[in-house]
Amino acid sequence: QVQLVESGGGLVQAGGSLGLSCTASGRTFSRYVMGWFRQAPGKEREFVAAINWSGRSTDYAGSVKGRFTISRGNAKNTVYLQMNSLRPEDTAVYYCAATVNPSYSTNYYYYDYWGQGTQVTVSS
């Protein structure tokens, strides 16, 4: 079992930046593939980014590629999402997710553990 706690959400103007963090409990964090998803009101949860256990391999949704960066610090049991050039359409609750599967996926049902989410609001 692993528990995930997100932090760093908030309100920012369009064009601004925010950094999200997700800290995991337990001593086996480096064995988990990690992902970030988001869900806007009235919409389905969608993939944002994912990173493999070592941090050397990442994947991004097309809508955030070049603006968002996912990274991880295994010594700190933490995965990060740096979000730059934010747009109003990035407004959503952002969720951190973990899976024991050996590779990442863009499908939310592939992930085994979820955080409670953190709100990101981008004003125009």
PDB file of all heavy atoms in Angstrom, residues 59-99:
ATOM      1  N   ASP A  59       6.408  10.667 -20.429  1.00  0.00           N
ATOM      2  CA  ASP A  59       5.414  10.802 -21.484  1.00  0.00           C
ATOM      3  C   ASP A  59       4.483  11.939 -21.112  1.00  0.00           C
ATOM      4  O   ASP A  59       4.236  12.179 -19.923  1.00  0.00           O
ATOM      5  CB  ASP A  59       4.623   9.499 -21.646  1.00  0.00           C
ATOM      6  CG  ASP A  59       3.780   9.485 -22.903  1.00  0.00           C
ATOM      7  OD1 ASP A  59       4.077  10.256 -23.840  1.00  0.00           O
ATOM      8  OD2 ASP A  59       2.806   8.700 -22.957  1.00  0.00           O
ATOM      9  N   TYR A  60       3.965  12.628 -22.131  1.00  0.00           N
ATOM     10  CA  TYR A  60       3.098  13.775 -21.897  1.00  0.00           C
ATOM     11  C   TYR A  60       1.898  13.742 -22.831  1.00  0.00           C
ATOM     12  O   TYR A  60       1.986  13.266 -23.977  1.00  0.00           O
ATOM     13  CB  TYR A  60       3.865  15.079 -22.149  1.00  0.00           C
ATOM     14  CG  TYR A  60       5.008  15.320 -21.203  1.00  0.00           C
ATOM     15  CD1 TYR A  60       6.297  14.911 -21.522  1.00  0.00           C
ATOM     16  CD2 TYR A  60       4.801  15.958 -19.980  1.00  0.00           C
ATOM     17  CE1 TYR A  60       7.353  15.118 -20.644  1.00  0.00           C
ATOM     18  CE2 TYR A  60       5.854  16.180 -19.099  1.00  0.00           C
ATOM     19  CZ  TYR A  60       7.115  15.757 -19.442  1.00  0.00           C
ATOM     20  OH  TYR A  60       8.157  15.962 -18.578  1.00  0.00           O
ATOM     21  N   ALA A  61       0.800  14.297 -22.352  1.00  0.00           N
ATOM     22  CA  ALA A  61      -0.326  14.549 -23.235  1.00  0.00           C
ATOM     23  C   ALA A  61       0.070  15.639 -24.223  1.00  0.00           C
ATOM     24  O   ALA A  61       0.849  16.547 -23.890  1.00  0.00           O
ATOM     25  CB  ALA A  61      -1.538  15.003 -22.420  1.00  0.00           C
ATOM     26  N   GLY A  62      -0.481  15.558 -25.418  1.00  0.00           N
ATOM     27  CA  GLY A  62      -0.126  16.530 -26.427  1.00  0.00           C
ATOM     28  C   GLY A  62      -0.445  17.961 -26.026  1.00  0.00           C
ATOM     29  O   GLY A  62       0.263  18.902 -26.404  1.00  0.00           O
ATOM     30  N   SER A  63      -1.494  18.130 -25.229  1.00  0.00           N
ATOM     31  CA  SER A  63      -1.926  19.469 -24.836  1.00  0.00           C
ATOM     32  C   SER A  63      -0.975  20.158 -23.866  1.00  0.00           C
ATOM     33  O   SER A  63      -1.042  21.381 -23.693  1.00  0.00           O
ATOM     34  CB  SER A  63      -3.319  19.399 -24.223  1.00  0.00           C
ATOM     35  OG  SER A  63      -3.321  18.561 -23.082  1.00  0.00           O
ATOM     36  N   VAL A  64      -0.089  19.389 -23.216  1.00  0.00           N
ATOM     37  CA  VAL A  64       0.811  19.987 -22.234  1.00  0.00           C
ATOM     38  C   VAL A  64       2.279  19.857 -22.626  1.00  0.00           C
ATOM     39  O   VAL A  64       3.153  20.438 -21.978  1.00  0.00           O
ATOM     40  CB  VAL A  64       0.611  19.373 -20.832  1.00  0.00           C
ATOM     41  CG1 VAL A  64      -0.849  19.423 -20.420  1.00  0.00           C
ATOM     42  CG2 VAL A  64       1.144  17.957 -20.754  1.00  0.00           C
ATOM     43  N   LYS A  65       2.552  19.114 -23.671  1.00  0.00           N
ATOM     44  CA  LYS A  65       3.945  18.884 -24.083  1.00  0.00           C
ATOM     45  C   LYS A  65       4.615  20.214 -24.404  1.00  0.00           C
ATOM     46  O   LYS A  65       4.068  21.065 -25.112  1.00  0.00           O
ATOM     47  CB  LYS A  65       3.980  17.954 -25.290  1.00  0.00           C
ATOM     48  CG  LYS A  65       5.343  17.403 -25.618  1.00  0.00           C
ATOM     49  CD  LYS A  65       5.252  16.323 -26.689  1.00  0.00           C
ATOM     50  CE  LYS A  65       4.554  15.085 -26.188  1.00  0.00           C
ATOM     51  NZ  LYS A  65       4.570  13.976 -27.182  1.00  0.00           N
ATOM     52  N   GLY A  66       5.820  20.369 -23.867  1.00  0.00           N
ATOM     53  CA  GLY A  66       6.556  21.606 -24.051  1.00  0.00           C
ATOM     54  C   GLY A  66       6.261  22.669 -23.007  1.00  0.00           C
ATOM     55  O   GLY A  66       6.982  23.656 -22.896  1.00  0.00           O
ATOM     56  N   ARG A  67       5.190  22.481 -22.229  1.00  0.00           N
ATOM     57  CA  ARG A  67       4.834  23.446 -21.168  1.00  0.00           C
ATOM     58  C   ARG A  67       4.989  22.841 -19.778  1.00  0.00           C
ATOM     59  O   ARG A  67       5.328  23.544 -18.829  1.00  0.00           O
ATOM     60  CB  ARG A  67       3.393  23.909 -21.358  1.00  0.00           C
ATOM     61  CG  ARG A  67       3.122  24.582 -22.691  1.00  0.00           C
ATOM     62  CD  ARG A  67       1.723  25.203 -22.722  1.00  0.00           C
ATOM     63  NE  ARG A  67       0.670  24.199 -22.583  1.00  0.00           N
ATOM     64  CZ  ARG A  67      -0.259  24.230 -21.625  1.00  0.00           C
ATOM     65  NH1 ARG A  67      -0.263  25.179 -20.713  1.00  0.00           N
ATOM     66  NH2 ARG A  67      -1.209  23.291 -21.581  1.00  0.00           N
ATOM     67  N   PHE A  68       4.711  21.551 -19.639  1.00  0.00           N
ATOM     68  CA  PHE A  68       4.777  20.864 -18.350  1.00  0.00           C
ATOM     69  C   PHE A  68       5.986  19.940 -18.327  1.00  0.00           C
ATOM     70  O   PHE A  68       6.373  19.366 -19.350  1.00  0.00           O
ATOM     71  CB  PHE A  68       3.523  20.020 -18.115  1.00  0.00           C
ATOM     72  CG  PHE A  68       2.253  20.798 -17.886  1.00  0.00           C
ATOM     73  CD1 PHE A  68       2.164  22.162 -18.132  1.00  0.00           C
ATOM     74  CD2 PHE A  68       1.124  20.152 -17.409  1.00  0.00           C
ATOM     75  CE1 PHE A  68       0.991  22.870 -17.925  1.00  0.00           C
ATOM     76  CE2 PHE A  68      -0.063  20.824 -17.188  1.00  0.00           C
ATOM     77  CZ  PHE A  68      -0.125  22.184 -17.454  1.00  0.00           C
ATOM     78  N   THR A  69       6.545  19.762 -17.127  1.00  0.00           N
ATOM     79  CA  THR A  69       7.660  18.839 -16.945  1.00  0.00           C
ATOM     80  C   THR A  69       7.420  17.982 -15.714  1.00  0.00           C
ATOM     81  O   THR A  69       7.190  18.521 -14.620  1.00  0.00           O
ATOM     82  CB  THR A  69       8.981  19.597 -16.778  1.00  0.00           C
ATOM     83  OG1 THR A  69       9.208  20.428 -17.926  1.00  0.00           O
ATOM     84  CG2 THR A  69      10.141  18.620 -16.629  1.00  0.00           C
ATOM     85  N   ILE A  70       7.483  16.669 -15.888  1.00  0.00           N
ATOM     86  CA  ILE A  70       7.365  15.742 -14.768  1.00  0.00           C
ATOM     87  C   ILE A  70       8.758  15.278 -14.378  1.00  0.00           C
ATOM     88  O   ILE A  70       9.619  15.051 -15.241  1.00  0.00           O
ATOM     89  CB  ILE A  70       6.450  14.541 -15.121  1.00  0.00           C
ATOM     90  CG1 ILE A  70       6.174  13.686 -13.881  1.00  0.00           C
ATOM     91  CG2 ILE A  70       7.028  13.720 -16.264  1.00  0.00           C
ATOM     92  CD1 ILE A  70       5.112  12.608 -14.112  1.00  0.00           C
ATOM     93  N   SER A  71       8.988  15.152 -13.086  1.00  0.00           N
ATOM     94  CA  SER A  71      10.265  14.660 -12.589  1.00  0.00           C
ATOM     95  C   SER A  71      10.018  13.960 -11.254  1.00  0.00           C
ATOM     96  O   SER A  71       8.912  14.033 -10.707  1.00  0.00           O
ATOM     97  CB  SER A  71      11.266  15.805 -12.429  1.00  0.00           C
ATOM     98  OG  SER A  71      10.783  16.773 -11.507  1.00  0.00           O
ATOM     99  N   ARG A  72      11.020  13.299 -10.743  1.00  0.00           N
ATOM    100  CA  ARG A  72      10.873  12.620  -9.469  1.00  0.00           C
ATOM    101  C   ARG A  72      12.170  12.651  -8.689  1.00  0.00           C
ATOM    102  O   ARG A  72      13.262  12.696  -9.277  1.00  0.00           O
ATOM    103  CB  ARG A  72      10.412  11.177  -9.670  1.00  0.00           C
ATOM    104  CG  ARG A  72      11.394  10.270 -10.347  1.00  0.00           C
ATOM    105  CD  ARG A  72      10.725   8.927 -10.714  1.00  0.00           C
ATOM    106  NE  ARG A  72      10.284   8.197  -9.530  1.00  0.00           N
ATOM    107  CZ  ARG A  72       9.394   7.207  -9.574  1.00  0.00           C
ATOM    108  NH1 ARG A  72       8.827   6.864 -10.728  1.00  0.00           N
ATOM    109  NH2 ARG A  72       9.068   6.564  -8.455  1.00  0.00           N
ATOM    110  N   GLY A  73      12.022  12.616  -7.387  1.00  0.00           N
ATOM    111  CA  GLY A  73      13.161  12.509  -6.481  1.00  0.00           C
ATOM    112  C   GLY A  73      12.937  11.308  -5.600  1.00  0.00           C
ATOM    113  O   GLY A  73      12.189  11.399  -4.608  1.00  0.00           O
ATOM    114  N   ASN A  74      13.520  10.194  -5.956  1.00  0.00           N
ATOM    115  CA  ASN A  74      13.247   8.959  -5.218  1.00  0.00           C
ATOM    116  C   ASN A  74      13.726   9.022  -3.772  1.00  0.00           C
ATOM    117  O   ASN A  74      13.139   8.394  -2.885  1.00  0.00           O
ATOM    118  CB  ASN A  74      13.862   7.771  -5.943  1.00  0.00           C
ATOM    119  CG  ASN A  74      13.095   7.414  -7.214  1.00  0.00           C
ATOM    120  OD1 ASN A  74      11.931   7.789  -7.388  1.00  0.00           O
ATOM    121  ND2 ASN A  74      13.752   6.686  -8.110  1.00  0.00           N
ATOM    122  N   ALA A  75      14.775   9.783  -3.528  1.00  0.00           N
ATOM    123  CA  ALA A  75      15.262   9.901  -2.157  1.00  0.00           C
ATOM    124  C   ALA A  75      14.270  10.647  -1.271  1.00  0.00           C
ATOM    125  O   ALA A  75      14.279  10.471  -0.047  1.00  0.00           O
ATOM    126  CB  ALA A  75      16.600  10.621  -2.148  1.00  0.00           C
ATOM    127  N   LYS A  76      13.412  11.442  -1.887  1.00  0.00           N
ATOM    128  CA  LYS A  76      12.414  12.210  -1.144  1.00  0.00           C
ATOM    129  C   LYS A  76      11.010  11.646  -1.319  1.00  0.00           C
ATOM    130  O   LYS A  76      10.037  12.252  -0.874  1.00  0.00           O
ATOM    131  CB  LYS A  76      12.429  13.674  -1.589  1.00  0.00           C
ATOM    132  CG  LYS A  76      13.715  14.393  -1.261  1.00  0.00           C
ATOM    133  CD  LYS A  76      13.618  15.867  -1.601  1.00  0.00           C
ATOM    134  CE  LYS A  76      14.878  16.597  -1.185  1.00  0.00           C
ATOM    135  NZ  LYS A  76      14.801  18.053  -1.471  1.00  0.00           N
ATOM    136  N   ASN A  77      10.893  10.501  -1.988  1.00  0.00           N
ATOM    137  CA  ASN A  77       9.576   9.877  -2.218  1.00  0.00           C
ATOM    138  C   ASN A  77       8.603  10.854  -2.869  1.00  0.00           C
ATOM    139  O   ASN A  77       7.413  10.867  -2.527  1.00  0.00           O
ATOM    140  CB  ASN A  77       8.982   9.368  -0.898  1.00  0.00           C
ATOM    141  CG  ASN A  77       9.560   8.032  -0.464  1.00  0.00           C
ATOM    142  OD1 ASN A  77      10.578   7.598  -0.977  1.00  0.00           O
ATOM    143  ND2 ASN A  77       8.931   7.392   0.487  1.00  0.00           N
ATOM    144  N   THR A  78       9.085  11.648  -3.788  1.00  0.00           N
ATOM    145  CA  THR A  78       8.254  12.723  -4.341  1.00  0.00           C
ATOM    146  C   THR A  78       8.329  12.759  -5.864  1.00  0.00           C
ATOM    147  O   THR A  78       9.409  12.572  -6.437  1.00  0.00           O
ATOM    148  CB  THR A  78       8.691  14.086  -3.770  1.00  0.00           C
ATOM    149  OG1 THR A  78       8.589  14.047  -2.340  1.00  0.00           O
ATOM    150  CG2 THR A  78       7.802  15.209  -4.294  1.00  0.00           C
ATOM    151  N   VAL A  79       7.177  13.016  -6.471  1.00  0.00           N
ATOM    152  CA  VAL A  79       7.109  13.282  -7.899  1.00  0.00           C
ATOM    153  C   VAL A  79       6.597  14.703  -8.073  1.00  0.00           C
ATOM    154  O   VAL A  79       5.781  15.183  -7.286  1.00  0.00           O
ATOM    155  CB  VAL A  79       6.212  12.251  -8.628  1.00  0.00           C
ATOM    156  CG1 VAL A  79       4.773  12.309  -8.138  1.00  0.00           C
ATOM    157  CG2 VAL A  79       6.277  12.444 -10.133  1.00  0.00           C
ATOM    158  N   TYR A  80       7.110  15.377  -9.100  1.00  0.00           N
ATOM    159  CA  TYR A  80       6.815  16.790  -9.311  1.00  0.00           C
ATOM    160  C   TYR A  80       6.172  16.999 -10.685  1.00  0.00           C
ATOM    161  O   TYR A  80       6.394  16.235 -11.619  1.00  0.00           O
ATOM    162  CB  TYR A  80       8.105  17.614  -9.237  1.00  0.00           C
ATOM    163  CG  TYR A  80       8.914  17.394  -7.991  1.00  0.00           C
ATOM    164  CD1 TYR A  80       9.966  16.473  -7.978  1.00  0.00           C
ATOM    165  CD2 TYR A  80       8.650  18.100  -6.820  1.00  0.00           C
ATOM    166  CE1 TYR A  80      10.717  16.261  -6.841  1.00  0.00           C
ATOM    167  CE2 TYR A  80       9.401  17.897  -5.678  1.00  0.00           C
ATOM    168  CZ  TYR A  80      10.422  16.976  -5.693  1.00  0.00           C
ATOM    169  OH  TYR A  80      11.167  16.769  -4.557  1.00  0.00           O
ATOM    170  N   LEU A  81       5.411  18.079 -10.763  1.00  0.00           N
ATOM    171  CA  LEU A  81       4.887  18.518 -12.056  1.00  0.00           C
ATOM    172  C   LEU A  81       5.067  20.025 -12.127  1.00  0.00           C
ATOM    173  O   LEU A  81       4.382  20.775 -11.425  1.00  0.00           O
ATOM    174  CB  LEU A  81       3.411  18.150 -12.228  1.00  0.00           C
ATOM    175  CG  LEU A  81       2.832  18.462 -13.617  1.00  0.00           C
ATOM    176  CD1 LEU A  81       3.458  17.543 -14.672  1.00  0.00           C
ATOM    177  CD2 LEU A  81       1.319  18.326 -13.628  1.00  0.00           C
ATOM    178  N   GLN A  82       6.007  20.464 -12.942  1.00  0.00           N
ATOM    179  CA  GLN A  82       6.223  21.889 -13.156  1.00  0.00           C
ATOM    180  C   GLN A  82       5.377  22.318 -14.344  1.00  0.00           C
ATOM    181  O   GLN A  82       5.517  21.766 -15.447  1.00  0.00           O
ATOM    182  CB  GLN A  82       7.696  22.182 -13.418  1.00  0.00           C
ATOM    183  CG  GLN A  82       7.993  23.639 -13.680  1.00  0.00           C
ATOM    184  CD  GLN A  82       7.653  24.534 -12.497  1.00  0.00           C
ATOM    185  OE1 GLN A  82       7.869  24.167 -11.351  1.00  0.00           O
ATOM    186  NE2 GLN A  82       7.110  25.713 -12.789  1.00  0.00           N
ATOM    187  N   MET A  83       4.524  23.309 -14.127  1.00  0.00           N
ATOM    188  CA  MET A  83       3.596  23.746 -15.163  1.00  0.00           C
ATOM    189  C   MET A  83       3.897  25.193 -15.523  1.00  0.00           C
ATOM    190  O   MET A  83       3.796  26.082 -14.664  1.00  0.00           O
ATOM    191  CB  MET A  83       2.146  23.610 -14.658  1.00  0.00           C
ATOM    192  CG  MET A  83       1.798  22.217 -14.168  1.00  0.00           C
ATOM    193  SD  MET A  83       0.093  22.040 -13.653  1.00  0.00           S
ATOM    194  CE  MET A  83       0.102  23.089 -12.200  1.00  0.00           C
ATOM    195  N   ASN A  84       4.285  25.427 -16.761  1.00  0.00           N
ATOM    196  CA  ASN A  84       4.595  26.758 -17.261  1.00  0.00           C
ATOM    197  C   ASN A  84       3.613  27.152 -18.356  1.00  0.00           C
ATOM    198  O   ASN A  84       2.924  26.298 -18.917  1.00  0.00           O
ATOM    199  CB  ASN A  84       6.021  26.796 -17.809  1.00  0.00           C
ATOM    200  CG  ASN A  84       7.060  26.480 -16.754  1.00  0.00           C
ATOM    201  OD1 ASN A  84       6.879  26.785 -15.568  1.00  0.00           O
ATOM    202  ND2 ASN A  84       8.147  25.867 -17.175  1.00  0.00           N
ATOM    203  N   SER A  85       3.574  28.436 -18.658  1.00  0.00           N
ATOM    204  CA  SER A  85       2.697  28.960 -19.716  1.00  0.00           C
ATOM    205  C   SER A  85       1.269  28.434 -19.555  1.00  0.00           C
ATOM    206  O   SER A  85       0.651  27.940 -20.504  1.00  0.00           O
ATOM    207  CB  SER A  85       3.243  28.567 -21.095  1.00  0.00           C
ATOM    208  OG  SER A  85       4.554  29.049 -21.286  1.00  0.00           O
ATOM    209  N   LEU A  86       0.762  28.552 -18.356  1.00  0.00           N
ATOM    210  CA  LEU A  86      -0.555  28.003 -18.060  1.00  0.00           C
ATOM    211  C   LEU A  86      -1.655  28.728 -18.813  1.00  0.00           C
ATOM    212  O   LEU A  86      -1.573  29.938 -19.068  1.00  0.00           O
ATOM    213  CB  LEU A  86      -0.815  28.047 -16.551  1.00  0.00           C
ATOM    214  CG  LEU A  86      -0.088  26.944 -15.762  1.00  0.00           C
ATOM    215  CD1 LEU A  86       0.013  27.300 -14.292  1.00  0.00           C
ATOM    216  CD2 LEU A  86      -0.810  25.615 -15.946  1.00  0.00           C
ATOM    217  N   ARG A  87      -2.683  27.949 -19.152  1.00  0.00           N
ATOM    218  CA  ARG A  87      -3.828  28.454 -19.904  1.00  0.00           C
ATOM    219  C   ARG A  87      -5.107  28.207 -19.102  1.00  0.00           C
ATOM    220  O   ARG A  87      -5.153  27.282 -18.278  1.00  0.00           O
ATOM    221  CB  ARG A  87      -3.925  27.712 -21.238  1.00  0.00           C
ATOM    222  CG  ARG A  87      -2.675  27.764 -22.087  1.00  0.00           C
ATOM    223  CD  ARG A  87      -2.735  26.755 -23.213  1.00  0.00           C
ATOM    224  NE  ARG A  87      -1.529  26.781 -24.040  1.00  0.00           N
ATOM    225  CZ  ARG A  87      -1.224  25.845 -24.933  1.00  0.00           C
ATOM    226  NH1 ARG A  87      -2.059  24.825 -25.139  1.00  0.00           N
ATOM    227  NH2 ARG A  87      -0.108  25.941 -25.640  1.00  0.00           N
ATOM    228  N   PRO A  88      -6.150  28.976 -19.350  1.00  0.00           N
ATOM    229  CA  PRO A  88      -7.409  28.731 -18.628  1.00  0.00           C
ATOM    230  C   PRO A  88      -7.908  27.301 -18.790  1.00  0.00           C
ATOM    231  O   PRO A  88      -8.509  26.750 -17.844  1.00  0.00           O
ATOM    232  CB  PRO A  88      -8.369  29.733 -19.274  1.00  0.00           C
ATOM    233  CG  PRO A  88      -7.486  30.863 -19.705  1.00  0.00           C
ATOM    234  CD  PRO A  88      -6.202  30.206 -20.159  1.00  0.00           C
ATOM    235  N   GLU A  89      -7.640  26.683 -19.912  1.00  0.00           N
ATOM    236  CA  GLU A  89      -8.106  25.303 -20.127  1.00  0.00           C
ATOM    237  C   GLU A  89      -7.312  24.276 -19.310  1.00  0.00           C
ATOM    238  O   GLU A  89      -7.670  23.102 -19.292  1.00  0.00           O
ATOM    239  CB  GLU A  89      -8.061  24.920 -21.609  1.00  0.00           C
ATOM    240  CG  GLU A  89      -6.720  25.146 -22.276  1.00  0.00           C
ATOM    241  CD  GLU A  89      -6.653  26.478 -23.013  1.00  0.00           C
ATOM    242  OE1 GLU A  89      -7.189  27.488 -22.485  1.00  0.00           O
ATOM    243  OE2 GLU A  89      -6.036  26.514 -24.105  1.00  0.00           O
ATOM    244  N   ASP A  90      -6.262  24.714 -18.627  1.00  0.00           N
ATOM    245  CA  ASP A  90      -5.538  23.829 -17.713  1.00  0.00           C
ATOM    246  C   ASP A  90      -6.227  23.749 -16.348  1.00  0.00           C
ATOM    247  O   ASP A  90      -5.813  22.960 -15.493  1.00  0.00           O
ATOM    248  CB  ASP A  90      -4.100  24.313 -17.516  1.00  0.00           C
ATOM    249  CG  ASP A  90      -3.275  24.218 -18.793  1.00  0.00           C
ATOM    250  OD1 ASP A  90      -3.385  23.203 -19.507  1.00  0.00           O
ATOM    251  OD2 ASP A  90      -2.502  25.173 -19.060  1.00  0.00           O
ATOM    252  N   THR A  91      -7.249  24.560 -16.139  1.00  0.00           N
ATOM    253  CA  THR A  91      -7.975  24.552 -14.874  1.00  0.00           C
ATOM    254  C   THR A  91      -8.614  23.198 -14.630  1.00  0.00           C
ATOM    255  O   THR A  91      -9.350  22.681 -15.476  1.00  0.00           O
ATOM    256  CB  THR A  91      -9.059  25.641 -14.876  1.00  0.00           C
ATOM    257  OG1 THR A  91      -8.428  26.923 -14.937  1.00  0.00           O
ATOM    258  CG2 THR A  91      -9.916  25.561 -13.620  1.00  0.00           C
ATOM    259  N   ALA A  92      -8.303  22.596 -13.475  1.00  0.00           N
ATOM    260  CA  ALA A  92      -8.799  21.265 -13.147  1.00  0.00           C
ATOM    261  C   ALA A  92      -8.309  20.877 -11.758  1.00  0.00           C
ATOM    262  O   ALA A  92      -7.460  21.568 -11.182  1.00  0.00           O
ATOM    263  CB  ALA A  92      -8.309  20.229 -14.160  1.00  0.00           C
ATOM    264  N   VAL A  93      -8.832  19.760 -11.261  1.00  0.00           N
ATOM    265  CA  VAL A  93      -8.231  19.117 -10.101  1.00  0.00           C
ATOM    266  C   VAL A  93      -7.165  18.168 -10.629  1.00  0.00           C
ATOM    267  O   VAL A  93      -7.433  17.354 -11.522  1.00  0.00           O
ATOM    268  CB  VAL A  93      -9.271  18.349  -9.275  1.00  0.00           C
ATOM    269  CG1 VAL A  93      -8.597  17.616  -8.122  1.00  0.00           C
ATOM    270  CG2 VAL A  93     -10.346  19.306  -8.757  1.00  0.00           C
ATOM    271  N   TYR A  94      -5.958  18.299 -10.105  1.00  0.00           N
ATOM    272  CA  TYR A  94      -4.835  17.481 -10.544  1.00  0.00           C
ATOM    273  C   TYR A  94      -4.595  16.363  -9.536  1.00  0.00           C
ATOM    274  O   TYR A  94      -4.501  16.615  -8.326  1.00  0.00           O
ATOM    275  CB  TYR A  94      -3.583  18.346 -10.702  1.00  0.00           C
ATOM    276  CG  TYR A  94      -3.602  19.149 -11.974  1.00  0.00           C
ATOM    277  CD1 TYR A  94      -4.485  20.215 -12.124  1.00  0.00           C
ATOM    278  CD2 TYR A  94      -2.769  18.835 -13.045  1.00  0.00           C
ATOM    279  CE1 TYR A  94      -4.531  20.946 -13.310  1.00  0.00           C
ATOM    280  CE2 TYR A  94      -2.806  19.558 -14.227  1.00  0.00           C
ATOM    281  CZ  TYR A  94      -3.692  20.606 -14.355  1.00  0.00           C
ATOM    282  OH  TYR A  94      -3.740  21.330 -15.528  1.00  0.00           O
ATOM    283  N   TYR A  95      -4.471  15.142 -10.061  1.00  0.00           N
ATOM    284  CA  TYR A  95      -4.289  13.955  -9.240  1.00  0.00           C
ATOM    285  C   TYR A  95      -2.952  13.293  -9.544  1.00  0.00           C
ATOM    286  O   TYR A  95      -2.560  13.154 -10.701  1.00  0.00           O
ATOM    287  CB  TYR A  95      -5.397  12.939  -9.506  1.00  0.00           C
ATOM    288  CG  TYR A  95      -6.777  13.396  -9.143  1.00  0.00           C
ATOM    289  CD1 TYR A  95      -7.580  14.045 -10.070  1.00  0.00           C
ATOM    290  CD2 TYR A  95      -7.297  13.173  -7.867  1.00  0.00           C
ATOM    291  CE1 TYR A  95      -8.867  14.462  -9.750  1.00  0.00           C
ATOM    292  CE2 TYR A  95      -8.573  13.588  -7.535  1.00  0.00           C
ATOM    293  CZ  TYR A  95      -9.352  14.226  -8.480  1.00  0.00           C
ATOM    294  OH  TYR A  95     -10.623  14.641  -8.143  1.00  0.00           O
ATOM    295  N   CYS A  96      -2.329  12.836  -8.496  1.00  0.00           N
ATOM    296  CA  CYS A  96      -1.129  12.030  -8.591  1.00  0.00           C
ATOM    297  C   CYS A  96      -1.550  10.566  -8.523  1.00  0.00           C
ATOM    298  O   CYS A  96      -2.473  10.217  -7.772  1.00  0.00           O
ATOM    299  CB  CYS A  96      -0.222  12.406  -7.420  1.00  0.00           C
ATOM    300  SG  CYS A  96       1.192  11.363  -7.176  1.00  0.00           S
ATOM    301  N   ALA A  97      -0.876   9.708  -9.281  1.00  0.00           N
ATOM    302  CA  ALA A  97      -1.218   8.291  -9.304  1.00  0.00           C
ATOM    303  C   ALA A  97       0.041   7.442  -9.353  1.00  0.00           C
ATOM    304  O   ALA A  97       1.066   7.881  -9.876  1.00  0.00           O
ATOM    305  CB  ALA A  97      -2.102   7.974 -10.513  1.00  0.00           C
ATOM    306  N   ALA A  98      -0.071   6.219  -8.832  1.00  0.00           N
ATOM    307  CA  ALA A  98       1.067   5.302  -8.802  1.00  0.00           C
ATOM    308  C   ALA A  98       0.616   3.914  -9.244  1.00  0.00           C
ATOM    309  O   ALA A  98      -0.518   3.505  -8.985  1.00  0.00           O
ATOM    310  CB  ALA A  98       1.662   5.231  -7.397  1.00  0.00           C
ATOM    311  N   THR A  99       1.531   3.200  -9.882  1.00  0.00           N
ATOM    312  CA  THR A  99       1.243   1.837 -10.269  1.00  0.00           C
ATOM    313  C   THR A  99       2.464   0.961 -10.056  1.00  0.00           C
ATOM    314  O   THR A  99       3.595   1.424 -10.194  1.00  0.00           O
ATOM    315  CB  THR A  99       0.783   1.725 -11.723  1.00  0.00           C
ATOM    316  OG1 THR A  99       0.526   0.350 -12.037  1.00  0.00           O
ATOM    317  CG2 THR A  99       1.833   2.256 -12.685  1.00  0.00           C
TER     318      THR A  99
END
